[in-house]
Amino acid sequence: MVDEKGKNMKCLTFFLMLPETVKNRSKKSSKKGNSSSSSSSSKLPPVCYEIITLKTKKKKKMAADIFPRKKPANTNTTAVQQYHQQNLNNNNTIPAPNWQGLYPTIRERNAVMFNNDLMADVHFVVGPPGATQRLPGHKYVLAVGSSVFHAMFYGELAEDKDEIRIPDVEPAAFLAMLKYIYCDEIDLAADTVLATLYAAKKYIVPHLARACVTFLETSLSAKNACVLLSQSCLFEEPDLTQRCWEVIDAQAELALKSEGFCDIDFQTLESILRRETLNAKELVVFEAALSWAEVECQRQELTATIENKRKVLGKALYLIRIPTMALDDFANGAAQSGILTLNETNDIFLWYTAAKKPELQFVSKPRKGLVPQRCHRFQSCAYRSNQWRYRGRCDSIQFAVDKRVFIAGFGLYGSSCGSAEYSAKIELKRQGVILGQNLSKYFSDGSSNTFPVWFEYPVQIEPDTFYTASVILDGNELSYFGQEGMTEVQCGKVTVQFQCSSDSTNGTGVQGGQIPELIFYA
C-alpha cells in the first residue's frame, strides 16, 4: 500500500484468509449441517493465513522532530511566560483549559508539572522544623527520575502516604533537584550547590550530582577550598577532593586565613595540619589552628579560654610544626600565645639553642612544600649597547595554559653591565582586572641568569583563558633581553601559549624582550 501522495509505504501487517480454503470449508459445513458443532469443527482442515508486511521507507518521527522548539506565537507568549513564572512559586495550578496546546513536545508539557499542584498525588514537607516548605509531586515522574523515588512509591515496601517529610534537605536544593527531574534543566547557585549535591546523592540522581561537582570545581578558590574539602570527603568525591588539595597546597596561606577554614570538621583539620605539601609559613598554620579552636568552642557552647581551645584542639595541636618556625616567629607568636605549657615552651627554646636537643611531642621536620616550576619562553638572550632600558615603561606579555596552575612570580633578566639593583612592580591581570601585584627589589649579579620576583600569594590561573603578565622596572643599568621567543612551551604536563600584549610599551613581545619566565605551581 502507498499513501495518498504515492511516496511512503505504510508499515502494516495483514492476515489474509486464502479464498480456496474458505470455499472448501463452507462446502464441508453444508454437507454436515445436522452434525454437532463440536464434531464438525474438529474435522475441518486448518485455516491458512498469509502474512503480508509492507515496509516503510522512513523512520517514524517523534513529536520533538515534527514540532521543533521555537518561540510560541505572539498571542501565546504572555501565557507561556506566566506559566513558567507560576512554577517558581508553590502550589499553583494551570488555569487555562487547553494548556497542553501551548507546548508541542512531551518534555515541555512535563515541565509544566514542575512544582505544580495540578494532578499531584504526593506532597513533600521539606526543610528543618520552622523553615519547611510544602512542595507538590507526581509519583510517576519522580520514579522515572530517581531509583529512590521508584522504591518509595512502587517498590515492595512502598508506603501509600500523601505527605512525606524530609527534614534533612533544604527546600531550595530539593526544588533544584525536582527541576532537573521534571524539566531536564540544571539550575545551580553558589549558595545552594552543596545542599543540591546532598539531595542528588541521597536520591541517587547521578547526572545532577556530577553537574554539582563540576560547578564546585569551576568555582573552587582559596576562600572555599577547605570547606569543599570537608564536603568532598563526606560525599565521597575523590576528584573534587584532589582539586581542593591542589588549591590548598598552592595557596595555603590564603586558604588558612579564610573564614571557611574555621567551618571545617575536626577530621579535616587534622588532615590539613598533617599535610606535607602546605606552601605556608608554620606561624600562619599555628594562627589558623587557634582561630579554628575559638570557633569550635562556640560550636560546643564553651567559653573560648586558653584551656578550652587546647581541649578542642586535642592531639591536633602536636601536628603543628612549631619547632620549624623561625625563632622570631616562635618567640613573638607561639611562645606568648598561652596555648603551650611552660615545659613545652622551655623545651622548644632549648630545641633552637641547645646542642643536645630535648625530645618533643611536636613534629620537628619542616614541611616539604611545593617545588615551583619555571616556564622559559626564550631560546637565547643577548645584550646591546643601547638596549634594554626601562625608565618606568611597561613590559608585558599575554599567556594561556591548558590546565589550572598558580602563578607564584616571574623570572626577570638583570643588568648586563655588572651587578645592579632593580625595583620591580609585577602585575597579573585578566580582562583588565588585577588579580595580583607586588612591588619589590631584586639584585642581579651581572650574569644572564633570571632572577625571581614573587607575588605575595600565588594567583590561580584557569585554563583556556588569556592573562596579562606585566612588569615595570626601574634601574639605571642596561639589562639582558630574550630573543627567539616561542609561541608555545611545554612545561611538564602544562602547555603554555604566548601572544603579544597591547599593554607593552617598552618593546617586549613574543619574539623578544623581558619577562622570560613564568614561575608557577601545578
Side-chain angles (χ1 to χ4, degrees):
M1 296 181 67
V2 297
D3 60 10
E4 294 179 356
K5 294 182 180 181
K7 293 182 179 180
N8 299 325
M9 300 182 69
K10 299 179 181 178
C11 184
L12 301 174
T13 302
F14 293 92
F15 296 87
L16 301 180
M17 183 180 290
L18 297 180
E20 184 178 354
T21 304
V22 176
K23 182 177 180 181
N24 293 338
R25 179 169 177 164
S26 62
K27 286 182 179 181
K28 291 181 180 180
S29 299
S30 61
K31 290 180 181 179
K32 298 183 179 181
N34 297 329
S35 301
S36 63
S37 60
S38 60
S39 61
S40 62
S41 61
S42 63
K43 294 181 181 180
L44 290 174
V47 178
C48 296
Y49 295 94
E50 183 177 357
I51 301 175
I52 303 175
T53 302
L54 302 180
K55 297 182 179 179
T56 181
K57 293 183 179 179
K58 289 187 177 181
K59 290 177 65 178
K60 185 177 180 181
K61 291 186 177 182
M62 304 299 291
D65 300 320
I66 300 174
F67 304 102
R69 295 191 65 183
K70 55 174 99 172
K71 293 183 179 179
N74 293 334
T75 56
N76 293 333
T77 300
T78 303
V80 172
Q81 291 175 345
Q82 288 177 350
Y83 296 156
H84 281 296
Q85 182 62 35
Q86 275 185 323
N87 288 105
L88 299 177
N89 304 316
N90 193 22
N91 298 331
N92 285 299
T93 56
I94 298 297
N98 187 28
W99 62 268
Q100 294 89 340
L102 295 171
Y103 304 93
T105 67
I106 185 63
R107 177 181 176 275
E108 292 174 302
R109 292 192 293 274
N110 198 54
V112 174
M113 294 295 99
F114 163 60
N115 198 21
N116 198 321
D117 258 326
L118 184 66
M119 296 184 285
D121 51 3
V122 66
H123 284 81
F124 301 94
V125 180
V126 186
T132 60
Q133 188 173 345
R134 194 170 186 268
L135 303 174
H138 306 77
K139 293 181 179 180
Y140 166 74
V141 179
L142 295 170
V144 169
S146 163
S147 59
V148 174
F149 283 129
H150 181 272
M152 185 185 298
F153 300 134
Y154 301 105
E156 295 180 357
L157 302 178
E159 296 182 10
D160 189 15
K161 291 183 178 180
D162 294 332
E163 190 172 274
I164 299 173
R165 296 188 176 274
I166 308 176
D168 59 329
V169 178
E170 295 179 11
F174 196 79
L175 274 171
M177 182 181 68
L178 292 185
K179 187 172 184 178
Y180 171 75
I181 293 175
Y182 277 80
C183 310
D184 199 25
E185 295 179 10
I186 297 176
D187 188 9
L188 301 175
D191 55 344
T192 59
V193 63
L194 280 173
T196 304
L197 177 59
Y198 174 78
K201 288 280 188 176
K202 177 177 180 178
Y203 291 98
I204 311 180
V205 187
H207 298 292
L208 178 60
R210 184 64 248 171
C212 290
V213 171
T214 302
F215 183 94
L216 291 171
E217 289 178 348
T218 55
S219 60
L220 186 60
S221 68
K223 294 181 179 180
N224 58 19
C226 294
V227 173
L228 293 183
L229 174 67
S230 178
Q231 297 297 320
S232 66
C233 296
L234 176 65
F235 294 134
E236 297 181 349
E237 289 289 344
D239 292 341
L240 179 58
T241 300
Q242 178 59 34
R243 297 297 293 274
C244 289
W245 278 125
E246 291 174 2
V247 174
I248 293 171
D249 283 342
Q251 297 180 302
E253 294 194 0
L254 285 175
L256 294 173
K257 292 178 180 179
S258 68
E259 294 182 3
F261 178 78
C262 295
D263 295 330
I264 63 177
D265 58 89
F266 182 76
Q267 184 178 358
T268 305
L269 173 71
E270 284 189 309
S271 64
I272 293 176
L273 296 181
R274 284 196 181 95
R275 191 77 174 170
E276 281 285 340
T277 48
L278 279 185
N279 195 35
K281 294 180 180 179
E282 205 62 31
L283 179 61
V284 176
V285 178
F286 176 79
E287 292 173 344
L290 290 189
S291 298
W292 179 90
E294 184 173 351
V295 176
E296 181 64 16
C297 285
Q298 297 174 6
R299 284 193 286 262
Q300 297 187 21
E301 299 181 352
L302 299 172
T303 305
T305 62
I306 295 297
E307 293 75 14
N308 286 335
K309 289 181 182 180
R310 183 168 178 126
K311 177 183 177 182
V312 297
L313 280 172
K315 294 182 179 180
L317 177 64
Y318 298 109
L319 298 175
I320 305 172
R321 307 187 183 194
I322 295 177
T324 67
M325 292 181 185
L327 180 57
D328 288 346
D329 289 343
F330 173 71
N332 298 316
Q336 299 186 41
S337 67
I339 202 73
L340 304 177
T341 66
L342 183 59
N343 287 336
E344 289 170 343
T345 303
N346 290 336
D347 286 346
I348 293 174
F349 267 121
L350 289 174
W351 175 269
Y352 284 110
T353 58
K356 185 179 181 181
K357 301 185 183 299
E359 292 186 3
L360 301 175
Q361 288 184 278
F362 295 92
V363 179
S364 57
K365 183 180 179 181
R367 302 180 194 272
K368 294 179 180 179
L370 293 177
V371 178
Q373 300 183 45
R374 293 174 179 252
C375 175
H376 197 91
R377 67 187 189 94
F378 295 124
Q379 299 182 66
S380 64
C381 68
Y383 69 91
R384 296 174 188 160
S385 59
N386 61 343
Q387 292 182 344
W388 196 271
R389 294 186 183 275
Y390 298 106
R391 297 175 183 174
R393 290 192 292 264
C394 179
D395 289 284
S396 183
I397 192 71
Q398 288 192 331
F399 70 93
V401 295
D402 63 343
K403 291 181 175 61
R404 174 182 286 175
V405 299
F406 302 87
I407 297 293
F410 305 146
L412 303 177
Y413 287 123
S415 171
S416 59
C417 304
S419 60
E421 185 179 63
Y422 289 88
S423 174
K425 180 184 177 181
I426 60 173
E427 195 172 74
L428 194 58
K429 295 188 295 185
R430 177 182 179 181
Q431 297 177 350
V433 178
I434 298 176
L435 304 178
Q437 61 181 1
N438 197 19
L439 179 61
S440 62
K441 295 182 178 181
Y442 70 95
F443 183 82
S444 66
D445 58 7
S447 69
S448 60
N449 296 330
T450 59
F451 302 91
V453 179
W454 307 94
F455 289 105
E456 184 178 4
Y457 302 109
V459 180
Q460 180 171 307
I461 301 298
E462 298 298 333
D464 305 323
T465 301
F466 273 95
Y467 293 77
T468 302
S470 301
V471 59
I472 298 176
L473 290 172
D474 187 10
N476 295 325
E477 298 295 336
L478 296 172
S479 79
Y480 287 91
F481 61 93
Q483 56 187 11
E484 297 181 277
M486 297 174 285
T487 58
E488 183 173 298
V489 181
Q490 187 72 32
C491 300
K493 296 181 179 180
V494 180
T495 302
V496 186
Q497 293 180 321
F498 294 96
Q499 67 180 24
C500 293
S501 169
S502 59
D503 292 347
S504 187
T505 59
N506 199 44
T508 289
V510 173
Q511 297 301 320
Q514 258 287 7
I515 318 180
E517 284 182 340
L518 301 178
I519 306 173
F520 65 94
Y521 302 114

